[in-house]
């Protein structure tokens, strides 16, 4: 395990508290827009409430291919479980009516206009917006998206989270040394 990963693991409030599971509409491998093939851990029919549902972006949202997960997203939100969406997944949330009444962001307001968009007055031109249990992000903000997810999950103590974010946002080595000091 690289040193930075060891430091990050050591800084978690409760190491092992969360496990990541990939979910597919079925058990078939999924190839991302970046060419990475992922074998889902579970199918959508096997999805049970967890700590958070994170919806990745991609063009499939605009083709309606991921619409089946949106009913699960609504049910999870109704059960007070956070949902995070980036890039094209924000348009999926719009199509499901999830962003009609809460502050949100996406790639651009014009991008969302191609949907059944009723929340335009609540659009914020920000990289990431957290509103209650919904986190939305534009396609250029994966680091900020992760920061908001980590914050919502209460994964790290605030000084650790800020040092992690500062390191990856700026590359300033002083944040690395702060992380190292926080692990001793």
């Amino acid at each position: 395990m690289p040193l930075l990963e060891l430091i990050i693991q050591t800084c978690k409030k409760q190491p092992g508290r969360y496990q990541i599971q990939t979910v597919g509409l079925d058990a078939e491998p999924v190839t991302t827009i970046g060419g990475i093939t992922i074998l889902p851990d579970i199918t959508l029919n096997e999805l049970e409430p967890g700590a958070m549902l994170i919806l990745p972006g991609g063009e499939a949202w605009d083709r309606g291919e991921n619409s089946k997960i949106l009913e699960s997203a609504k049910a999870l939100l109704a059960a007070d479980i956070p949902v995070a969406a980036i890039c094209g997944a924000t348009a999926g949330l719009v199509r499901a009516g999830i962003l009609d009444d809460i502050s949100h962001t996406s790639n651009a307001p014009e991008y969302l206009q191609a949907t059944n968009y009723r929340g335009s007055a609540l659009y914020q031109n920000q990289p990431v917006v957290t509103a209650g249990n919904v986190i939305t992000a534009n396609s250029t903000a994966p680091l900020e998206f992760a920061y908001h997810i980590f914050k919502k999950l209460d994964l790290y103590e605030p000084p650790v989270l800020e040092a992690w974010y500062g390191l990856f946002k700026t590359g300033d080595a002083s944040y690395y040394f702060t992380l190292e000091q926080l692990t001793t």
Side-chain angles (χ1 to χ4, degrees):
M1 178 180 314
L3 181 58
L4 184 58
E5 179 63 19
L6 178 61
I7 289 171
I8 297 297
Q9 288 294 331
T10 305
C11 291
K12 284 184 181 175
K13 283 184 173 182
Q14 297 174 338
R17 178 177 168 196
Y18 300 114
Q19 300 298 317
I20 296 173
Q21 284 190 306
T22 56
V23 181
L25 298 176
D26 53 41
E28 296 299 312
V30 175
T31 302
T32 69
I33 197 169
I36 297 171
T37 300
I38 299 170
L39 183 61
D41 295 317
I42 61 173
T43 66
L44 183 55
N45 292 335
E46 298 169 307
L47 180 64
E48 294 182 9
M52 177 181 282
L53 177 64
I54 302 172
L55 302 172
E59 297 168 350
W61 291 101
D62 296 327
R63 296 189 301 264
E65 294 174 18
N66 294 329
S67 60
K68 290 181 182 178
I69 191 73
L70 296 173
E71 288 306 313
S72 296
K74 284 182 176 181
L76 292 171
L77 286 167
D80 204 30
I81 295 172
V83 172
I86 190 168
C87 188
T90 61
L93 295 185
V94 167
R95 286 183 182 94
I98 293 171
L99 302 183
D100 287 351
D101 302 315
I102 62 169
S103 296
H104 59 277
T105 195
S106 183
N107 296 331
E110 297 81 8
Y111 170 66
L112 297 179
Q113 293 303 329
T115 67
N116 188 21
Y117 190 35
R118 293 185 295 272
S120 61
L122 297 169
Y123 184 88
Q124 295 185 11
N125 192 21
Q126 300 292 324
V128 180
V129 172
T130 296
N133 276 336
V134 178
I135 301 169
T136 52
N138 70 39
S139 60
T140 65
L143 179 65
E144 292 80 2
F145 186 57
Y147 174 88
H148 281 248
I149 289 169
F150 293 171
K151 190 172 186 175
K152 177 59 89 174
L153 291 174
D154 195 29
L155 197 57
Y156 300 106
E157 294 292 342
V160 173
L161 181 58
E162 295 306 318
W164 173 87
Y165 178 74
L167 175 63
F168 287 98
K169 183 69 175 176
T170 68
D172 182 341
S174 68
Y175 290 110
Y176 175 83
F177 296 115
T178 298
L179 283 170
E180 192 172 40
Q181 288 174 352
L182 291 168
T183 63
T184 54

